[in-house]
Amino acid sequence: MTTAELPVIAAVDGSWRSYEALEWAARDAVRRGLPLTIVHVRPLNRHTSQEEQRREAEELLAESVGRVAQVAPTLHTSTLAPMDFPAAALTALSEHASLLVLGSRGLGGFRSLLIGSNSLTTASMARCPVVVVRTGRADEEGTEAAEAAAAETFSDIVAGVAADESSEAVLDFAFEAATTRPGARLRIVHGWTMFSSMLSGGPVFDRDAAAGAAERTLAELTAGRPEKYPQVEVVQEPVHGSASHTLVTASATAALTVIGRRKGGEELGFGLSSVAQTTLTHALGPVAVVPC
């Protein structure tokens, strides 16, 4: 099975955030022409029998399939209920997925957290792109359907890129995402400072020259893609200052914000840069984390 044929995987745990992510995943699978696999990871729990856990998982997955049928009635779906630690199970499954979709937080943890530990860990270690879904416009159960519907009205794809080869995978993913959304505009954001200009061998004291260098960097990164994707309107945004602040602000009205994660170092917790982690933690809409 090629990468283009691998399913979209959506993780559910019974929380409204996971159902919000499930519906997002179903719509995206339809856009991509891919099947959907719904996964509920049964946590290791000595206080609940395996039989009871299996029954609860079957009920939760049946409800999830029903929700998908309402959103995407023709979508082919399958289900899985492995028993493991959630982040470990999802990371393993990501090797056989084109995309992994999670809610920002599950049933456990503290309400004050902006993103749950399982979502953050999975996004830092998965082998495929991970989308963490958060509308950012509501935080109480019962409002998620209206907020998810509102999120679907936004069409911009926002991509945060660095001035190196790690941006290739981010741009590939962002352009492909934009092609599945007719009329979508792709905003490509590159943050720069005089210090980053110096580190890259660019102008050190001339701000105008540094700004020009940032514009040329963006032009070089995107070279050839507008011709390959003529249906996508591209807006290049070199930004002086904090890239994470710009990405978080842009995420409020974006269908999807795309950031990169460097491969290697996952075992040591170094998968996400400070810009990526800040964006993922504080974004006001869905964020895709792409291994680079």
Side-chain angles (χ1 to χ4, degrees), residues 4 16 33 52-53 84 105 109 112 119 121 165 181 230 232 245 255 265 276:
W16 69 262
E52 183 178 352
Q53 281 193 318
D84 202 344
R105 281 197 292 125
S112 59
S119 298
T121 301
E165 66 280 357
R181 297 173 179 267
V232 178
H245 175 76

Side-chain angles (χ1 to χ4, degrees), residues 31-96:
R31 280 190 288 263
R32 295 172 182 270
L34 295 173
L36 176 70
T37 298
I38 308 170
V39 175
H40 171 62
V41 181
R42 294 177 290 158
L44 304 172
N45 187 345
R46 294 182 179 179
H47 304 292
T48 306
S49 69
Q50 290 192 23
E51 183 59 34
E52 183 178 352
Q53 281 193 318
R54 187 178 298 108
R55 178 183 54 79
E56 291 175 351
E58 289 174 352
E59 292 175 355
L60 190 154
L61 289 171
E63 180 181 353
S64 299
V65 170
R67 285 175 175 260
V68 170
Q70 295 178 11
V71 174
T74 62
L75 180 62
H76 175 73
T77 61
S78 58
T79 60
L80 288 173
M83 178 174 284
D84 202 344
F85 295 105
L90 294 173
T91 298
L93 289 170
S94 70
E95 296 193 36
H96 310 287

